[in-house]
Amino acid sequence: MNDFTGGPAGVAVSRGPGQPEQTAELRELHQGFERELLVPLWTEIGELMPAEPMPKTSAHLWRWDRLLPLAEQAGELVPVGRGGERRAIALANPGLGGAPFATSTLWAAIQYLGPREVAPEHRHTQNAFRFVVEGEGVWTVVDGDPVAMRRGDFLLTPGWHFHGHHNVSDTPMVWLDGLDIPFAHHMDSAFFEYGADEVSDRSTPERSRAERLWAHPGLRPVSQPRSLPSSPIAAYRWEHTDAALSEQLALEREGHPGVIEPGHAGVRFTNPTTGGDVMPTLRAEFHRLLAGTTTLPRREVGSAVWQVFDGAGVVRVGHSTWTVGRGDLFVVPSWQQLEIGAESELDLFRFSDTPIFEHLHAHRVQLEGAS
């Protein structure tokens, strides 16, 4: 361990290997650095250039059966409208000093909308999505296009699109919001703008206009030749996700390729105009593990948030181990080893910041035991 002594306030002076002898002249030099707001690399290199990622984000689990009652209580006490805008309750990672961030780049929150309530329209440059664990009766309206929200659906609100929500039912509804708020916050790139106090279209169609135009497997409208930075599909419906996962596992039983590893199926939600991720900063996937399946231990650069959609299992993240069930959420920090075991058939939704690191050519994956 290095012995840090002899420096002025705010400057740690190392007496470790390769460091200069602590002299009056060196202390005077460091004081000069401090006056001019300079920091010498030789006192900081261990933190700035570690041998491998050292995330401040902690591995952590949030229990759905504890979150839901708090969201219900908020529904009774906290109004929805201008000012607060949304009854959204953010996951605050214990490693990030109280910031309302699930990881250093990802924001995740439970949003609760009561019977007949309306969340007014606004837009922001942060990319957003909704994932529905249970319930129905809410339509999100994105740039005037009403999109039904139902259990298992994955719904997009790319950056700078006006959006609001309205509940047409007599029962409340709760879902997961995911955004790249922390990334935009750290990059000083965020903009926000109010829209209408009411949603711009109160109709409740079975399918949105975006789905009618874009959501046909393998087919792209010739009238829309441009590549778009985010997917134009407003909702990826559960029935299609479920069918794709079931078919992968069926192919495995028949002796054909298609699964990630034995007993482990997975799909990635994609942008049909590029074949890439649904949004520039966010990747979204759905995984299904057969009972008795355990994934290979995996580490990768970048962080992820997972939510159990159904089933039960055991999750190991770094040195933490949890049993998980329906609705539970957990965080996998950058370069922390992840292993998932399914006690029953286990369905999980995952979103991550991987596209950021891939675009920067900084992504790395380590998979133990792979052939």
Side-chain angles (χ1 to χ4, degrees):
M1 179 180 295
N2 290 341
D3 179 19
F4 291 98
T5 60
V11 178
V13 181
S14 172
R15 295 181 61 186
Q19 298 298 324
E21 181 183 355
Q22 304 307 306
T23 64
E25 291 83 358
L26 184 63
R27 284 193 289 273
E28 183 180 356
L29 175 63
H30 284 153
Q31 289 167 356
F33 290 157
E34 186 176 24
R35 285 193 302 271
E36 299 303 322
L37 302 180
L38 302 171
V39 178
L41 176 61
W42 58 84
T43 67
E44 303 288 329
I45 192 167
E47 183 175 347
L48 292 177
M49 297 182 179
E52 62 181 43
M54 299 175 62
K56 292 182 173 61
T57 298
S58 298
H60 193 72
L61 174 75
W62 290 265
R63 297 284 184 193
W64 186 249
D65 60 4
R66 298 179 188 173
L67 300 182
L68 189 56
L70 292 170
E72 291 170 342
Q73 187 176 4
E76 297 173 359
L77 300 175
V78 180
V80 172
R82 287 298 180 223
E85 291 291 302
R86 303 286 187 260
R87 193 186 291 112
I89 307 153
L91 308 185
N93 189 282
L96 299 178
F101 303 155
T103 80
S104 57
T105 55
L106 302 174
W107 196 81
I110 305 305
Q111 185 167 167
Y112 185 96
L113 198 64
R116 308 294 169 179
E117 282 190 324
V118 175
E121 293 189 346
H122 63 215
R123 65 178 177 177
H124 38 72
T125 47
Q126 297 94 330
N127 294 297
F129 70 80
R130 334 231 165 259
F131 177 69
V132 184
V133 176
E134 54 188 63
E136 58 181 61
V138 169
W139 267 254
T140 184
V141 182
V142 181
D143 279 345
D145 189 8
V147 188
M149 298 176 60
R150 308 183 191 95
R151 173 167 161 77
D153 291 347
F154 172 63
L155 308 105
L156 298 185
T157 309
W160 214 236
H161 290 252
F162 280 112
H163 56 283
H165 321 300
H166 67 118
N167 188 346
V168 303
S169 75
D170 294 320
T171 57
M173 188 170 167
V174 61
W175 61 85
L176 173 69
D177 283 341
L179 294 92
D180 57 5
I181 290 175
F183 176 71
H185 176 77
H186 293 312
M187 297 300 292
D188 293 328
S189 64
F191 291 86
F192 177 92
E193 184 177 316
Y194 290 117
D197 291 340
E198 288 285 332
V199 291
S200 50
D201 190 327
R202 279 204 172 248
S203 63
T204 56
E206 183 72 13
R207 290 190 303 152
S208 62
R209 295 191 295 276
E211 291 171 84
R212 293 168 61 192
L213 184 61
W214 284 100
H216 304 282
L219 302 175
R220 176 173 177 168
V222 177
S223 64
Q224 309 294 317
R226 290 191 305 119
S227 294
L228 300 172
S230 296
S231 172
I233 300 176
Y236 296 75
R237 298 298 180 189
W238 168 242
E239 56 265 30
H240 304 305
T241 305
D242 182 37
L245 296 166
S246 296
E247 291 290 5
Q248 287 184 20
L249 292 167
L251 286 167
E252 180 190 27
R253 289 193 299 271
E254 296 163 14
H256 303 296
V259 294
I260 300 170
E261 53 192 332
H264 178 190
V267 294
R268 182 172 299 162
F269 302 99
T270 61
N271 177 348
T273 75
T274 64
D277 288 292
V278 287
M279 289 182 282
T281 53
L282 296 173
R283 174 164 294 173
E285 298 176 340
F286 207 103
H287 293 253
R288 175 171 292 168
L289 278 65
L290 294 178
T293 297
T294 299
T295 63
L296 291 173
R298 175 187 178 94
R299 297 201 292 180
E300 67 177 289
V301 168
S303 56
V305 177
W306 294 70
Q307 184 168 33
V308 177
F309 182 67
D310 218 348
V314 176
V315 173
R316 298 178 182 86
V317 181
H319 299 296
S320 301
T321 301
W322 312 293
T323 58
V324 296
R326 179 167 168 168
D328 291 346
L329 295 126
F330 60 92
V331 159
V332 182
S334 182
W335 211 242
Q336 293 280 309
Q337 185 168 283
L338 169 67
E339 188 176 352
I340 303 174
E343 295 178 345
S344 63
E345 184 171 281
L346 183 61
D347 283 354
L348 305 112
F349 171 77
R350 173 187 185 267
F351 75 100
S352 71
D353 53 16
T354 307
I356 297 172
F357 296 98
E358 288 185 343
H359 290 319
L360 296 173
H361 302 283
H363 189 239
R364 184 181 293 194
V365 175
Q366 182 183 84
L367 195 61
E368 292 188 11
S371 56

